[in-house]
Amino acid sequence: MYVTLIIGVALIFLYIFYHFSTKKVRDMVDRFPGPQKLPILGNAHQLKTGHEWYKQLLDFASTYREQNAFRVWLANKPIICVLKPEYVEKILSSSKHIDKASEYNVLVPWLGTGLLISTGEKWRHRRKMLTPTFHFNILHDFVYVFNQQTRVLLDKLKVKAKTGPFNMFQDITLCALDIIAETAMGKTIDAQLTDSDYVYAVYRMSSLADMRMRQPWFWFDFIYDLFGYGKEFRTKLQTLHNFTNSVIADRLKHFDTKKALLVKQGLSGESVGDNKKPRLAFLDMLLYMSEDLTKLSLEDIREEVDTFMFEGHDTTAAAINWATHLIGSHPEVQVQVHEELDQVFGKDDRDATMEDLKQLKYLECCIKEALRLFPSVPNYARSIKEELHLEGDYTIPKDTTVIILPIGLHRDPRIFPEPEAFKPERFFLENSVNRHPYSYIPFSAGPRNCIGQKFAMLEEKTVLSHLFRNFNVKSIQKRSELKPVGDLILRPENGIIVELTQRE
């Protein structure tokens, strides 16, 4: 009895101490509008999952649009979401507020502190080092891989098209996984043709990381191991790291030829051009820049390769799927896509070249508009490292997590009239020239913008150009039936159901 009383009194004193010691922060956070909170729980009990979580975020964005921001409390942890381009710019353009939020720590066992998660001098040094690997002329050689893997996809789609409507989401995703494996690691994994433990582990780890990120009680390893998916997480982690390590080891054995080619190119991006010559992967460039593993260790290289694999397939696959659905839902748009493709390619079934892709201006507008409605990454989180005043009474306390919400930002009717309508012409040059640069951020923005956005756009244009050159696409689902799920990547809960007919 006395022990219980002592514990109870101690807890009361702890609560009183916390209440008064954090009053300034709580007052600053609560100047932002937000849903009604409860003591201790905050708003944690109100937050939903799956598609309902996506809808809830859109509801919050709509409710607090005029106030330009809102706050929620996860127990005693404040989170502020900003909805105004000027606020977004203050955060994303800053060289001070570049730290990813602590919620990303669940990815550290898999990705280490690679480019996605690292911060400070390590991030600055790594970003500067990796930027040349995305030089335009180096990307030029990846177009060959985009074409070859898309042809594997087309062969599968032609068979499935004969059976009536089908879900193409997984087919596109496996194609994107084959592309990133070959361009990032120089490894053909045949994800489109065979089952493998590695492919399954990539998918499962993404799901496990997302679930853990939104369940704070599982941020503690002991609780995650005891009551969560800790054992499965470690098993999949070992599969992924063993595979990447084996690829790196194999690449090192045969690196002399690649190194000579890289010395010749000097990472200036001189195109290999001839497909008979060895093509370079990101891994080759990392090995080259490591200077015999003195500047980058094997662990450094593995974490960047794993980061490329994680970031480089789901995002592009989602973008291609959403664009396919939207174009297939709007026959008048599809007619213009077909006209542009016919103008560039005629009746030739040849591979797309870099010059071809440059000419596909309308298709690019379609992709951009699809990313406006369904950005592959529905939100970004930063940790504010010093007090940040926005305007008026809005000041974000130090060490607060800030969410930038593209799914809300992109639906601001003050910037995008009829925000739910699919209108590729929004991105015609004359219609977007005066738009605030931080009102549309599918690849984030500022110093930590997506380093692979040119790679992604080239891949998406290549796959979609082949798809619409070969098929008329009819989307079977209504928009309301897609039920987007706002996980790490924005996916449709029910896939993308299409009916394909061969074009004459």
Side-chain angles (χ1 to χ4, degrees):
M1 179 178 174
Y2 288 112
V3 173
T4 304
L5 181 62
I6 291 170
I7 292 173
V9 171
L11 289 174
I12 290 170
F13 274 107
L14 281 173
Y15 179 76
I16 292 171
F17 173 77
Y18 164 78
H19 183 81
F20 284 101
S21 64
T22 62
K23 187 176 186 305
K24 180 185 176 183
V25 168
R26 287 185 292 106
D27 286 347
M28 290 169 69
V29 171
D30 285 334
R31 289 195 183 101
F32 291 84
Q36 189 69 35
K37 62 178 181 177
L38 291 178
I40 300 176
L41 284 177
N43 304 108
H45 64 295
Q46 299 170 323
L47 302 185
K48 301 177 182 179
T49 59
H51 175 58
E52 294 303 313
W53 167 239
Y54 169 83
K55 286 172 57 180
Q56 190 173 38
L57 285 175
L58 289 186
D59 286 343
F60 283 150
S62 177
T63 300
Y64 303 109
R65 174 86 61 204
E66 294 301 318
Q67 293 96 327
N68 297 314
F70 64 93
R71 63 97 188 107
V72 294
W73 286 88
L74 284 179
N76 66 339
K77 182 179 178 66
I79 294 176
I80 292 173
C81 297
V82 295
L83 299 167
K84 187 176 181 179
E86 287 78 5
Y87 295 174
V88 174
E89 182 175 16
K90 276 195 172 187
I91 295 161
L92 293 186
S93 67
S94 170
S95 59
K96 297 176 183 176
H97 308 300
I98 62 169
D99 288 11
K100 294 296 179 78
S102 59
E103 286 80 358
Y104 286 87
N105 289 343
V106 301
L107 293 169
V108 170
W110 178 13
L111 307 180
T113 52
L115 197 60
L116 176 66
I117 300 171
S118 61
T119 190
E121 275 310 305
K122 178 174 181 178
W123 172 80
R124 290 182 178 88
H125 173 71
R126 197 67 63 87
R127 175 82 183 210
K128 184 178 180 180
M129 178 180 282
L130 293 177
T131 295
T133 67
F134 288 89
H135 189 284
F136 182 78
N137 285 336
I138 291 176
L139 295 179
H140 186 285
D141 293 320
F142 291 152
V143 175
Y144 175 79
V145 178
F146 300 163
N147 280 298
Q148 294 307 106
Q149 292 299 344
T150 303
R151 289 197 178 278
V152 177
L153 171 67
L154 288 176
D155 289 341
K156 291 177 66 179
L157 296 183
K158 286 173 183 176
V159 173
K160 291 190 174 187
K162 297 174 183 177
T163 64
F166 66 97
N167 181 1
M168 72 182 299
F169 191 89
Q170 188 72 352
D171 298 303
I172 297 289
T173 303
L174 291 175
C175 176
L177 189 55
D178 270 339
I179 286 171
I180 196 63
E182 194 165 345
T183 53
M185 297 190 290
K187 180 75 172 178
T188 302
I189 61 173
D190 289 328
Q192 298 184 82
L193 302 174
T194 60
D195 293 326
S196 79
D197 291 340
Y198 176 76
V199 171
Y200 178 71
V202 170
Y203 288 129
R204 187 58 182 154
M205 281 291 281
S206 296
S207 298
L208 291 173
D210 175 70
M211 286 190 290
R212 192 178 184 189
M213 192 176 283
R214 290 191 286 108
Q215 296 173 318
W217 48 92
F218 283 146
W219 294 351
F220 302 97
D221 290 341
F222 173 75
I223 297 175
Y224 191 56
D225 291 343
L226 199 60
F227 300 106
Y229 295 91
K231 184 177 180 181
E232 183 185 5
F233 183 90
R234 287 194 302 276
T235 300
K236 296 294 181 289
L237 183 66
Q238 186 173 8
T239 299
L240 293 170
H241 283 175
N242 286 346
F243 183 85
T244 308
N245 287 335
S246 70
V247 171
I248 294 171
D250 185 62
R251 211 70 177 175
L252 274 170
K253 289 178 187 175
H254 308 94
F255 188 57
D256 286 345
T257 303
K258 302 281 184 178
K259 188 174 182 179
L261 183 61
L262 279 159
V263 169
K264 177 186 174 185
Q265 292 184 195
L267 278 183
S268 64
E270 179 188 334
S271 175
V272 176
D274 183 356
N275 289 324
K276 294 179 181 178
K277 294 180 182 178
R279 285 187 307 279
L280 301 171
F282 289 124
L283 174 54
D284 296 313
M285 299 174 206
L286 289 169
L287 290 171
Y288 175 71
M289 289 184 291
S290 74
E291 295 188 10
D292 296 324
L293 306 181
T294 59
K295 289 192 174 180
L296 290 173
S297 68
L298 285 174
E299 186 177 351
D300 292 333
I301 292 169
R302 188 194 71 202
E303 65 187 18
E304 295 303 347
V305 171
D306 284 340
T307 297
F308 286 151
M309 290 298 299
F310 168 68
E311 287 198 280
H313 84 277
D314 259 1
T315 49
T316 51
I320 293 166
N321 271 291
W322 291 119
T324 301
H325 166 81
L326 289 164
I327 296 170
S329 299
H330 295 79
E332 74 287 356
V333 171
Q334 189 164 176
V335 166
Q336 293 185 68
V337 169
H338 282 151
E339 287 176 352
E340 181 178 70
L341 291 169
D342 292 345
Q343 185 177 359
V344 172
F345 295 97
K347 295 182 179 181
D348 198 336
D349 190 36
R350 61 183 170 79
D351 285 350
T353 67
M354 187 68 85
E355 282 305 310
D356 296 329
L357 298 178
K358 287 180 187 176
Q359 294 181 60
L360 300 179
K361 302 293 187 183
Y362 187 71
L363 180 61
E364 184 170 319
C365 289
C366 291
I367 295 170
K368 288 180 176 179
E369 176 70 343
L371 286 169
R372 182 187 68 80
L373 284 165
F374 299 109
S376 296
V377 181
N379 57 76
Y380 312 111
R382 293 285 176 87
S383 181
I384 300 303
K385 286 306 168 189
E386 62 181 46
E387 199 172 280
L388 176 64
H389 180 72
L390 297 177
E391 64 180 357
D393 290 336
Y394 287 172
T395 299
I396 303 174
K398 179 184 176 182
D399 295 328
T400 300
T401 292
V402 174
I403 302 289
I404 290 95
L405 205 61
I407 56 172
L409 188 70
H410 293 177
R411 283 174 164 79
D412 190 335
R414 298 169 295 189
I415 301 167
F416 301 102
E418 297 181 80
E420 291 298 334
F422 178 64
K423 295 183 175 183
E425 61 269 21
R426 292 184 206 272
F427 291 93
F428 291 173
L429 184 60
E430 62 270 22
N431 294 333
S432 56
V433 66
N434 293 319
R435 191 176 295 146
H436 194 288
Y438 285 78
S439 64
Y440 176 73
I441 51 168
F443 295 102
S444 190
R448 286 204 81 147
N449 68 343
C450 175
I451 195 173
Q453 57 185 289
K454 290 181 181 177
F455 175 97
M457 185 59 74
L458 289 172
E459 178 183 341
E460 289 157 24
K461 288 170 81 171
T462 303
V463 176
L464 288 166
S465 67
H466 277 287
L467 180 65
F468 284 97
R469 282 160 65 191
N470 280 270
F471 297 108
N472 290 298
V473 178
K474 180 181 178 182
S475 298
I476 302 302
Q477 298 146 300
K478 297 176 182 177
R479 183 90 66 86
S480 60
E481 295 173 322
L482 294 173
K483 296 187 176 179
V485 177
D487 294 338
L488 290 171
I489 306 298
L490 191 64
R491 298 183 180 88
E493 186 175 85
N494 299 317
I496 297 293
I497 313 298
V498 294
E499 183 176 271
L500 303 181
T501 54
Q502 195 81 31
R503 288 188 72 201
E504 296 296 333

